[in-house]
Amino acid sequence: MQPVTGGSPPGAPAAADPFDYAVLRVVPRVERGERVNVGVVLFCRARGFLDARFEPDERRLLALWPDLDLEAVRGHLDFIRRVCAGDRACGYVAELPQAERFGWVVSPASTVVQPSRVHAGLGADPAAALERLLATLVRPGRSGQG
C-alpha cells in the first residue's frame, strides 16, 4: 500500500510528518477468517496525535453473522477510542504514553476486534489523514477492503 498523505490547505506549505496506522476489523469467528473493516487508528509522534475512528456497518456485520453481539462490538470499539484518548477510567493502559497506547491497540489479538499490520504514512494533518483512511478503507463502496 502506498503511503497516505494528509491534507494541507492549497498554497500553504506545511511540513509533513510520518505517522503509523492500522485498520481495525471485526472478526466474529476467528476459525472462519472472515472480517469486516470497521475503523482506523492513527498515531503521529511528531504531532502528539493518537486517535481512532470507527464506522461499523452493522447491517453488513449482521448479514454475515446474524448472532453477532453488536453491543459487545460497540463496547470494544468504545474502549479502544477511550484508550487512545487517555481516559483514565480505562485503567492502566490508558495512562501509558501515546506510543505505548498505540502499541497496545495494534498488538495482535484473538478478540472480536483485531488490528491489521501497522502501515506508515506521511502528512501534515494527521486528523485529515485519519479521515481519508477511514473513507478509503472502511466505508462501503470504496477500495481497500480486506
Side-chain angles (χ1 to χ4, degrees):
M1 172 173 274
Q2 298 266 356
V4 176
T5 58
S8 296
D17 292 305
F19 60 81
D20 294 313
Y21 70 94
V23 178
L24 297 169
R25 303 161 167 159
V26 169
V27 184
R29 294 180 58 199
V30 175
E31 67 276 12
R32 291 182 58 100
E34 297 169 328
R35 62 187 184 235
V36 174
N37 294 351
V38 297
V40 178
V41 59
L42 187 143
F43 172 59
C44 179
R45 182 183 311 269
R47 305 277 173 144
F49 182 92
L50 174 61
D51 197 6
R53 297 260 329 268
F54 306 100
E55 290 185 13
D57 185 338
E58 294 181 353
R59 289 178 45 192
R60 183 173 176 210
L61 289 168
L62 288 175
L64 294 171
W65 306 286
D67 296 332
L68 180 63
D69 182 349
L70 286 176
E71 194 59 38
V73 170
R74 287 184 205 111
H76 198 107
L77 296 176
D78 185 58
F79 186 79
I80 290 170
R81 180 192 56 74
R82 292 171 47 215
V83 165
C84 289
D87 182 344
R88 291 176 181 240
C90 293
Y92 169 77
V93 71
E95 295 180 23
L96 295 170
Q98 279 185 333
E100 292 180 44
R101 282 183 272 147
F102 177 72
W104 181 84
V105 170
V106 300
S107 294
S110 41
T111 59
V112 70
V113 177
Q114 298 181 13
S116 70
R117 64 187 172 101
V118 174
H119 303 281
L122 190 63
D125 183 347
L130 180 58
E131 175 60 29
R132 185 170 292 114
L133 289 164
L134 192 69
T136 303
L137 302 174
V138 175
R139 292 183 183 136
R142 301 296 296 259
S143 63
Q145 181 69 30

